[in-house]
Amino acid sequence: MFEPDEYIFTKLAYYFKRKKKEKEQAISCAVNLIDIKPRLLILARAITGESIEIYDAEREGGYKNANFFLPTRFLEFPTVEENISFYTFRVLYLSVQKNLNLNWNDNLEHELLESQEKAAETSKLVLDSLFEQFPIS
């Protein structure tokens, strides 16, 4: 029969082993922006008709002028294909948002929270246009 400390140790060891395995799986499905950036640039430039540049973002990203900001790495989904699809969707979204001219137009610096609130206010308009133009997205 197990002693209580052996039982607890066994449960903890199993828990950490499982977590390590899950983390390794997630890392194997991760997509790095640098690896798919050329494809995303072509897509963004084709949709906007502008010379878009893509840079690493600190958080969720966005756009400013002709610059798109995207996460350096994405691994939230269980497959590489789904993680690539996230980047594709994000570029489509930013392209439509830019084409609708729904960003700040005053050349002033705005707080992150203020920009996030504005993006949330206009998200339905962007999504409606996005799904109309790119139904498969």
Side-chain angles (χ1 to χ4, degrees), residues 16 20 24 26 31 36 50 61 66 89 104 117 122:
F16 287 115
K20 182 179 178 187
E24 287 171 357
V31 175
I36 61 169
E50 295 186 27
F89 177 81
W104 302 111
E117 288 171 356
T122 61

Side-chain angles (χ1 to χ4, degrees), residues 47-48 50 63-66 68 92-107 118-119 121-123 125-126 129 133:
I47 294 169
T48 62
E50 295 186 27
Y63 85 91
K64 184 175 183 179
N65 302 319
F68 286 7
L92 289 172
Y93 187 95
L94 293 173
S95 297
V96 169
Q97 186 181 29
K98 180 167 181 44
N99 287 345
L100 292 173
N101 202 25
L102 294 175
N103 207 343
W104 302 111
N105 296 316
D106 55 14
N107 292 324
K118 182 171 181 170
E121 289 170 12
T122 61
S123 64
L125 181 62
V126 175
S129 181
Q133 293 178 54

Side-chain angles (χ1 to χ4, degrees), residues 5 11 13 19 21 23 28 37 45 49-50 54 56 60 64 75 86 90 108 111 113 125 128 132 134:
D5 57 338
K11 288 294 182 181
K19 285 296 179 188
K21 193 176 202 178
K23 186 176 181 180
S28 72
K37 188 174 177 178
R45 290 172 179 179
E50 295 186 27
I54 294 178
D56 293 352
E60 66 274 1
K64 184 175 183 179
L75 52 95
F86 163 80
R90 194 71 178 116
L108 300 174
E111 294 294 321
L113 183 60
L125 181 62
D128 289 346
E132 181 182 316
F134 307 99

